[in-house]
Amino acid sequence: IVIGSGPGGSISSYFLKKKLKNVLLLEKGKYFSSSKKKHPGKEFIYKWKNGGINTTVLNNQISFASGECLGGGSEINSGLLHYPDKQMINEWINDFKINDLMYEDLTHQLKKMTDIVPITRMNDEKQNHLGKIFLNGIKKENLKYETLYKFQHQREDKEIKSSMTNTLINMFLKDGGKIETNFEVDKIYKSQNYWHIIGLKNKKNICYKSKYIFLCAGSIYTNILLAKNNLVKKSKVNEFKFHPMLKLIVQYNDEVQKGDENVHNIQITDYLPDYLIGQAASGYQFLKMASFNSKKLQINIENNWKKMSIYHVTFSIGKGKIYFPRLLKKPILGYKISNSELDLIKDSIRNSSKLLFSTGAKSIYIVGKKLIKLDISNLEAKLKKIKNVSQLKFSSVHILGGVKSGEANNNSVDSYGKLKDHENFYVNDSSLIYNKLLKNPQGTIMSISKRNIDNFLSKIG
């Protein structure tokens, strides 16, 4: 049984079914087909956990997106492909004593995976209107940048997203794999050499049992299931990391979008390893959500949204914690970004604003508790008024970590995701990525998941 159908769970299910007779994939969400437009309103209801409204409540309030549907996060993200980061992999090996892990092997695994989860790359000459505007600014400022591959492919002159439902899950079903959607796992325990999973579907309790379990619910959710079922001590799985993202709403004099464009695949790498700059989802609904605390900007967006776009500065800073209050049924999430990071954050606003003004932007709005409007003349004066991290509003689309893997004594799972204190139980998702990773993690998750499954299959014969 595989719990969770995001990239880790889909890879686990697909390759397990190639060798084993009976494989069941359990998913809390439901199946919905891919939409033709980028993030239509109904997608938030059907595919996003809590309609896209999730937040930490302690320390810094950070809103975050999480998929809750068949295919998980691969169904809602922009599909940008970053290959594994060499520095991150080497630090992971050294910090947690990972056996037989090599950066070159992971990149090779991922390149092989793209034969069945296809990718394409829009080169500089074929960028959409906003992409070309962004490129012009980059060249004016003489910045380093990367044009990324995306998980997508062409079919009958249409761009099809290479999400898990369109690729691995579809092939898993054709191979005879079984899927139970709308199934919320509650209890996991072992009895008579079998793992038992009790969950709720259509208000009824259902129990499945299996010799092997692969837990792939994603960071935070995997952590909570491990702690809730006393499989790992709460204190060992109560941490996680976001990629905190600061959004900038950019307004131009002329129209720059129609509303159905996907995020362009150009990201600025000049400021790595401190931060990345790229485009965020920028349709009407995203502009409205980002500006909800300013009536004046809301009206401006209603009249001028086609002249606007959203850009992001993304960091790998701060630390998250999962709290398990005795009197509450559900855990509480907290996230802390220290004020010691303020100079870095202000520097990122300065550099990204200079770039965006060089693209022809008329004005820039920093999304914070109070909206901060920038123009070329007031940039430094406005930055001086930011005295505390809490004045800014961060969001995130990537959740990582919480389950330490490797051979170090305090790790919860071994180098291949096997739970140390229990037999036949494996973790194989984003919760394993504990070290700093300032990139879209999907490619790294896929390569690590494939490595772990290959190891498992080689041992059972």
Side-chain angles (χ1 to χ4, degrees):
I1 290 179
V2 178
I3 301 171
S5 64
S10 293
I11 285 172
S12 300
S13 302
Y14 173 75
F15 287 101
L16 286 170
K17 189 64 188 74
K18 289 291 181 185
K19 292 286 183 75
L20 303 177
K21 184 177 180 181
N22 295 314
V23 181
L24 173 65
L25 174 59
L26 300 176
E27 168 56 49
K28 184 179 178 182
K30 299 179 182 179
Y31 167 72
F32 298 98
S33 60
S34 299
S35 56
K36 294 179 181 179
K37 290 187 177 182
K38 174 71 175 175
H39 298 314
K42 65 180 182 180
E43 183 184 276
F44 290 93
I45 300 170
Y46 297 141
K47 291 190 174 186
W48 297 54
K49 185 176 180 65
N50 298 324
I53 303 171
N54 308 283
T55 185
T56 57
V57 295
L58 300 176
N59 297 313
N60 303 100
Q61 287 191 327
I62 299 181
S63 58
F64 62 95
S66 179
E68 190 172 281
C69 59
L70 192 64
S74 75
E75 307 295 316
I76 67 169
N77 66 26
S78 297
L80 295 175
L81 170 60
H82 282 108
Y83 280 88
D85 181 83
K86 191 170 187 177
Q87 181 178 340
M88 173 262 174
I89 297 298
N90 289 334
E91 288 177 355
W92 191 16
I93 294 167
N94 294 328
D95 292 347
F96 298 106
K97 295 181 172 60
I98 307 277
N99 287 344
D100 304 321
L101 177 64
M102 293 182 65
Y103 164 77
E104 291 78 11
D105 289 343
L106 290 179
T107 54
H108 178 67
Q109 286 275 22
L110 186 55
K111 285 176 182 176
K112 284 173 63 179
M113 285 291 300
T114 58
D115 291 336
I116 54 176
V117 185
I119 58 174
T120 56
R121 180 176 173 269
M122 186 75 72
N123 61 30
D124 292 356
E125 292 74 28
K126 294 184 178 181
Q127 292 294 327
N128 61 24
H129 185 44
L130 263 171
K132 290 177 179 176
I133 290 173
F134 195 57
L135 268 175
N136 287 336
I138 289 171
K139 290 172 182 177
K140 285 180 184 178
E141 297 296 314
N142 195 29
L143 297 172
K144 297 175 186 174
Y145 70 97
E146 186 176 8
T147 308
L148 298 167
Y149 283 90
K150 281 187 177 181
F151 286 106
Q152 63 183 36
H153 57 282
Q154 294 289 127
R155 187 190 299 162
E156 298 176 355
D157 297 325
K158 294 180 181 179
E159 286 186 357
I160 306 296
K161 190 171 186 177
S162 299
S163 66
M164 295 300 101
T165 55
N166 288 332
T167 56
L168 293 173
I169 290 175
N170 186 35
M171 291 184 283
F172 170 71
L173 288 169
K174 287 181 179 178
D175 285 344
K178 298 176 182 178
I179 296 177
E180 190 79 84
T181 59
N182 196 28
F183 186 93
E184 183 174 2
V185 175
D186 181 30
K187 294 180 181 179
I188 305 171
Y189 65 94
K190 196 169 189 181
S191 175
Q192 296 180 345
N193 296 321
Y194 280 93
W195 286 101
H196 293 67
I197 300 172
I198 298 176
L200 195 66
K201 177 169 177 145
N202 299 327
K203 298 182 179 180
K204 293 182 179 179
N205 282 318
I206 300 173
C207 181
Y208 289 106
K209 65 178 182 177
S210 176
K211 184 175 181 180
Y212 302 102
I213 285 186
F214 285 82
L215 180 54
C216 310
S219 181
I220 292 181
Y221 312 110
T222 283
N223 310 21
I224 290 171
L225 281 172
L226 289 171
K228 178 181 176 182
N229 289 283
N230 298 312
L231 296 165
V232 179
K233 289 182 180 179
K234 291 182 175 69
S235 59
K236 293 183 72 173
V237 289
N238 67 348
E239 295 179 351
F240 64 93
K241 282 185 177 292
F242 281 147
H243 283 164
M245 179 169 59
L246 189 65
K247 289 184 177 178
L248 307 173
I249 298 175
V250 186
Q251 185 166 359
Y252 293 89
N253 289 312
D254 302 313
E255 290 186 2
V256 293
Q257 68 161 319
K258 296 177 182 178
D260 58 355
E261 295 91 342
N262 205 334
V263 172
H264 64 62
N265 59 330
I266 306 163
Q267 290 190 340
I268 295 170
T269 58
D270 208 86
Y271 307 107
L272 290 176
D274 294 326
Y275 52 90
L276 274 170
I277 302 171
Q279 189 192 18
S282 300
Y284 174 76
Q285 66 271 41
F286 289 95
L287 287 161
K288 292 287 281 185
M289 284 193 296
S291 60
F292 71 93
N293 59 345
S294 171
K295 289 183 179 179
K296 188 175 181 180
L297 183 56
Q298 288 266 317
I299 294 169
N300 184 13
I301 288 168
E302 287 173 12
N303 296 322
N304 297 297
W305 67 270
K306 290 185 178 181
K307 297 179 180 179
M308 297 177 172
S309 182
I310 302 176
Y311 280 87
H312 68 83
V313 186
T314 297
F315 310 88
S316 182
I317 56 176
K319 184 181 289 187
K321 190 167 183 179
I322 306 170
Y323 297 89
F324 297 91
R326 291 182 180 179
L327 299 179
L328 297 178
K329 291 183 178 180
K330 292 186 177 181
I332 294 174
L333 304 180
Y335 206 87
K336 177 64 176 177
I337 300 175
S338 170
N339 258 345
S340 63
E341 306 285 4
L342 190 58
D343 286 343
L344 170 67
I345 295 166
K346 289 166 76 168
D347 184 64
S348 75
I349 296 171
R350 178 182 294 109
N351 288 327
S352 55
S353 296
K354 286 179 179 178
L355 163 68
L356 292 167
F357 283 129
S358 74
T359 68
K362 179 175 75 171
S363 49
I364 297 171
Y365 302 87
I366 304 173
V367 176
K369 287 190 174 179
K370 292 184 178 180
L371 222 60
I372 304 169
K373 184 178 180 182
L374 304 176
D375 56 45
I376 295 175
S377 63
N378 72 5
L379 176 58
E380 291 301 327
K382 293 286 187 176
L383 286 175
K384 284 182 181 179
K385 291 184 178 180
I386 301 174
K387 304 290 186 182
N388 197 294
V389 170
S390 62
Q391 291 176 245
L392 303 168
K393 182 173 176 57
F394 294 88
S395 59
S396 183
V397 292
H398 304 146
I399 316 168
L400 304 170
V403 181
K404 293 180 182 177
S405 62
E407 306 313 314
N409 290 333
N410 63 333
N411 293 350
S412 302
V413 300
D414 70 10
S415 297
Y416 295 95
K418 179 188 172 298
L419 211 58
K420 286 191 172 181
D421 296 330
H422 300 277
E423 289 301 314
N424 301 337
F425 194 113
Y426 298 81
V427 174
N428 207 23
D429 62 11
S430 61
S431 63
L432 299 175
I433 301 176
Y434 218 93
N435 288 64
K436 182 176 180 179
L437 175 66
L438 184 57
K439 291 182 177 180
N440 187 315
Q442 181 172 333
T444 303
I445 295 165
M446 290 174 69
S447 58
I448 290 168
S449 299
K450 177 62 164 57
R451 168 188 178 268
N452 293 347
I453 285 295
D454 285 349
N455 178 73
F456 169 79
L457 291 172
S458 70
K459 288 189 174 181
I460 65 168

